[in-house]
Amino acid sequence: MTQTGYVNPSKRLEDQGLEGLGAVHYNLLEPALMEAAIRRGEGKLGLGGTLLVTTGKHTGRSPKDKYVVRTPSVEDTIWWENNAPMTPEAFDRLYDDMAAHMKGRDLFVQDLFAGADPAHRLDVRVVTELAWHGLFIRHLLRRPDREGLATFEPDFTIINCPSFKADTARHECRSETVIALNFDRKIILIGGTEYAGENKKSVFTLLNYLLAGKGVMPMHCSANHAPGNPIDTAVFFGLSGTGKTTLSADPNRVLIGDDEHGWSDRGTFNFEGGCYAKTINLSAEAEPEIYATTRKFGTVIENMVRDPETLELDFDADHLTPNMRCAYPLDYISNASETALGGHPKHVIMLTCDAFGVLPPIARLTPAQAEYHFLSGFTSKVAGTERGVTEPQPTFSTCFGAPFMPRRPEVYGELLRAKIARHGTTCWLVNTGWTGGAYGEGRRMPIKATRALLSAALEGRLSDAELRKDPNFGFEVPVSVEGVDDALLDPRSTWSDPAAYDRQAQKLVQMFSENFAQYESHIDEDVRAIALG
C-alpha cells in the first residue's frame, strides 16, 4: 500500500483494521483531488475550473435504504418507526464484505470537522472510492489545518463504496443500495449509490442524535445575521426546494450557513464548511452569488446538462434530474461569515412549500404554534430531491427533516420550544409554494414578495403591523406590508373561486389534524389544544 498526504501516523486505515488496500490518498487538497478525479475518468473539467460529474441512476437520496444498527445502547432512544433497524450481525457481515471489496482499490481519505463550535465539534473521517466524493465532502465539512491533521483522531468513520452492491439476504437490507449507521462501532457504511448527498446527510443524522442528547438543538436550517451584529441572527427551517439556500443568501446580511446548524447555550453554529445548492432554474439576476460559484475553481457541478463543445451549463434542462446541484466552500459567497457562528436566533422562519395554495406568504406564530408547525413539518417534496418524485407532492416531514431524525420528533420539538421561550425568539411561517390556486392551477409565490416580507420581519417592521387571525389555522397574518400586493397576504382573495379555496383549506386542515394525531399523547396541553382546533 502506498499513501500520500498528511495524516496522524497512528490513525491510518490499517490501524482501523482495513488491510490489503491499494494506494490511499490522505487529505489531498482541492487541486490534487480535481486532478485525480479527471485522470480517473470520474468527471470533466468545466468552465472556470469546475468539476462536472454525474451520479448514474441515483440522483437523490435513498431514504428507504437507510438503517440504524439496533444495539442496547440506542434501543430506547431511536425513533424506530422512522429508522429501519439492522441487526449487529448483519452490519458486521456488511462491514466485512465491504472491507474485502476494498482490497487492492485506491481510496481517498478526508479527515474533517463537523461543527464550527469547538465545544460541540465532531471529528469525522470520510473514506471514499471516488476522488470527487473526497472533493465534495472537503467542501461540505470543515477543514482542519496541517497541525490539526497531525493529531486528528476520528470520532466516527464513514466508508463510501459506490461500486459495492449489498446482498439483500446476507445484509438484511431492501436493495443493493445501503446506508447503515452503527453508533457502537462509530462507523457509517454507504454502498451502491454515487449520490454525494448521502455523505453529508449521514453526518447530519449523527449530529441530530448526539447533540440532542446534550441539550443542543440540531436544525435542518440555513442561518444568517445582520452585518456586524451576530446577535441579530435568523434561522430558516425547510426541506430541500423550499428556499433555505436562496433566502438565507441575502446580500444585506452575513451568511452563517445554508443547510445544517446547531443551537447551543452559546448561540448558533454551522455544522458545515460549504454549501450544496440546487441549480435548477438558477439565474445570475435572481441569485448572483450562487450563480457565480458555478464558474469557480473546484466547485462540483452535479448532474447538470451542458453543451458538449462549449461546456456551458443549461440551468433549465432537467432531463438528467431536477435535483441538479453544485457544491462549493462557504467562502465562495462574498458575505459569508468567517467564523460560521451567530447569536441566539432573534427570528425563526419555518419555510413551507404549500402545493395546495392555501397558506399565506407569511404568518406570525406563538411558541406553541411554532412547536405545532415544527412537528408537523408540512411542505411539498420538490421534484428530484428523492428518487421517484417527479412533481411537487404534499407531505408532512416532521421537524422539517424526518429522514435525518434518529430520535422521536417530540425531543426536538420540546428543545426548540424551550429555546424559543428562553431567548424571546419571534417565529414566522413562510409559504414559498403556490398562490392563486393549487399546483397546476396557481403560480409559485413571487420570490420578490417573499424577500420583501422577510426583510420586513427581520427588520422589525411587522412588530406594529395590523394583523388578522387566520380562520383556518389561528395564526396572525399581516394585512398590509410595503412593497407587497395586499391580495397576496389574503390567499383566499387570489383564487378565482373563493368557495373552492374554502374546500381546499378544509382539506388541508383535516390533513394537519390527522397527521398530528401521532404526537398528541407526547405533547403539552397548549400544543394539543392547537391540534384539536
Side-chain angles (χ1 to χ4, degrees), residues 54-208:
T54 56
T55 62
K57 68 177 182 179
H58 291 274
T59 57
R61 291 179 292 101
S62 298
K64 294 181 180 179
D65 295 308
K66 188 174 179 180
Y67 301 85
V68 174
V69 178
R70 195 164 199 158
T71 59
S73 68
V74 300
E75 173 69 38
D76 297 330
T77 50
I78 296 293
W79 181 25
W80 293 113
E81 294 88 346
N82 186 62
N83 293 269
M86 176 178 281
T87 65
E89 295 77 15
F91 182 89
D92 291 346
R93 291 191 294 270
L94 178 63
Y95 179 87
D96 291 343
D97 292 348
M98 193 173 285
H101 175 83
M102 294 161 66
K103 289 184 182 298
R105 295 176 183 269
D106 295 351
L107 296 171
F108 298 84
V109 178
Q110 288 287 318
D111 292 329
L112 302 162
F113 301 147
D117 184 344
H120 302 293
R121 190 180 78 192
L122 189 71
D123 296 354
V124 181
R125 166 165 283 182
V126 184
V127 183
T128 68
E129 281 187 319
L130 299 174
W132 82 262
H133 272 199
L135 178 63
F136 170 90
I137 203 64
R138 184 171 175 81
H139 288 335
L140 267 295
L141 294 184
R142 305 188 67 80
R143 299 161 288 282
D145 57 23
R146 189 172 297 181
E147 291 181 0
L149 290 175
T151 57
F152 187 93
E153 296 192 19
D155 297 314
F156 275 80
T157 297
I158 298 172
I159 301 175
N160 189 332
C161 294
S163 67
F164 176 84
K165 309 300 181 187
D167 182 316
T168 56
R170 178 170 167 77
H171 304 131
E172 300 176 17
C173 53
R174 190 185 71 97
S175 75
E176 64 182 20
T177 299
V178 63
I179 302 100
L181 193 167
N182 190 321
F183 283 101
D184 284 13
R185 292 190 62 175
K186 300 184 184 302
I187 294 173
I188 298 175
L189 302 177
I190 303 174
T193 173
E194 291 187 34
Y195 181 64
E198 298 288 10
N199 295 292
K200 82 178 226 94
K201 289 305 183 187
S202 293
V203 176
F204 186 37
T205 302
L206 270 180
L207 290 170
N208 275 341

Side-chain angles (χ1 to χ4, degrees), residues 37-48:
I38 294 167
R39 183 180 67 249
R40 289 158 52 92
E42 298 173 6
K44 294 186 63 174
L45 187 67
L47 296 176

Side-chain angles (χ1 to χ4, degrees), residues 87 89 177 180 212 241 268 270 279 284 316 326 347 362-363 434 495 502 513 517:
T87 65
E89 295 77 15
T177 299
T268 308
N270 192 355
T279 54
D316 300 316
C326 64
H347 297 274
I362 194 167
W434 274 259
W495 284 53
D502 293 338
S513 179

Side-chain angles (χ1 to χ4, degrees), residues 213-513:
K214 301 194 301 179
V216 176
M217 178 67 194
M219 303 178 291
H220 187 206
C221 72
S222 57
N224 62 27
H225 67 73
N229 186 12
I231 293 176
D232 187 359
T233 292
V235 300
F236 302 75
F237 284 102
L239 292 177
S240 295
T242 55
K244 291 195 316 302
T245 299
T246 298
L247 295 171
S248 59
D250 184 337
N252 297 313
R253 292 176 67 85
V254 176
L255 178 68
I256 300 172
D258 84 322
D259 197 40
E260 299 167 5
H261 294 78
W263 185 355
S264 73
D265 289 340
R266 307 199 312 180
T268 308
F269 62 98
N270 192 355
F271 290 168
E272 301 182 303
C275 301
Y276 190 34
K278 295 192 74 165
T279 54
I280 182 71
N281 304 133
L282 185 66
S283 73
E285 293 73 27
E287 298 167 273
E289 290 269 20
I290 299 173
Y291 185 89
T293 69
T294 63
R295 290 202 178 196
K296 291 191 175 183
F297 177 80
T299 293
V300 177
I301 306 291
E302 190 179 80
N303 294 320
M304 284 196 69
V305 176
R306 71 261 187 178
D307 186 285
E309 294 183 0
T310 67
L311 300 182
E312 288 284 350
L313 300 173
D314 188 336
F315 293 90
D316 300 316
D318 61 359
H319 52 270
L320 286 180
T321 175
N323 195 37
M324 59 180 81
R325 290 179 179 266
C326 64
Y328 50 89
L330 195 62
D331 59 16
Y332 278 9
I333 302 297
S334 63
N335 63 326
S337 167
E338 293 184 2
T339 65
L341 301 172
H344 297 291
K346 186 176 179 181
H347 297 274
V348 165
I349 294 99
M350 298 182 188
L351 299 168
T352 181
C353 177
D354 174 20
F356 283 87
V358 168
L359 295 176
I362 194 167
R364 188 167 68 186
L365 306 177
T366 66
Q369 288 171 335
E371 183 175 355
Y372 176 81
H373 284 278
F374 181 70
L375 289 176
S376 297
F378 171 69
T379 190
S380 301
K381 289 181 181 177
V382 177
T385 303
E386 293 181 9
R387 295 185 69 199
V389 178
T390 57
E391 62 181 43
Q393 297 178 1
T395 188
F396 291 88
S397 184
T398 189
C399 308
F400 295 99
F404 325 117
M405 299 291 114
R407 298 178 185 267
R408 278 204 61 86
E410 299 84 10
V411 172
Y412 305 103
E414 290 167 8
L415 259 177
L416 179 66
R417 186 181 177 192
K419 288 186 178 294
I420 287 171
R422 185 179 308 135
H423 300 290
T425 304
T426 304
C427 299
W428 307 91
L429 183 70
V430 172
N431 174 25
T432 62
W434 274 259
T435 184
Y439 170 77
E441 296 180 5
R443 62 186 179 111
R444 281 300 292 264
M445 196 71 66
I447 190 170
K448 184 177 180 180
T450 301
R451 288 189 184 280
L453 291 167
L454 281 173
S455 294
L458 299 182
E459 293 168 8
R461 288 186 280 118
L462 298 187
S463 299
D464 300 321
E466 180 184 356
L467 302 169
R468 65 174 178 84
K469 185 175 181 179
D470 183 89
N472 299 303
F473 290 94
F475 41 51
E476 295 180 321
V477 181
V479 174
S480 180
V481 176
E482 184 179 354
V484 178
D485 184 353
D486 289 353
L488 276 180
L489 296 167
D490 180 9
R492 188 174 187 268
S493 71
T494 66
W495 284 53
S496 59
D497 182 353
Y501 171 86
D502 293 338
R503 291 191 296 270
Q504 189 83 317
Q506 287 307 303
K507 179 180 178 181
L508 185 57
V509 168
Q510 184 63 28
M511 288 178 65
F512 265 86
S513 179

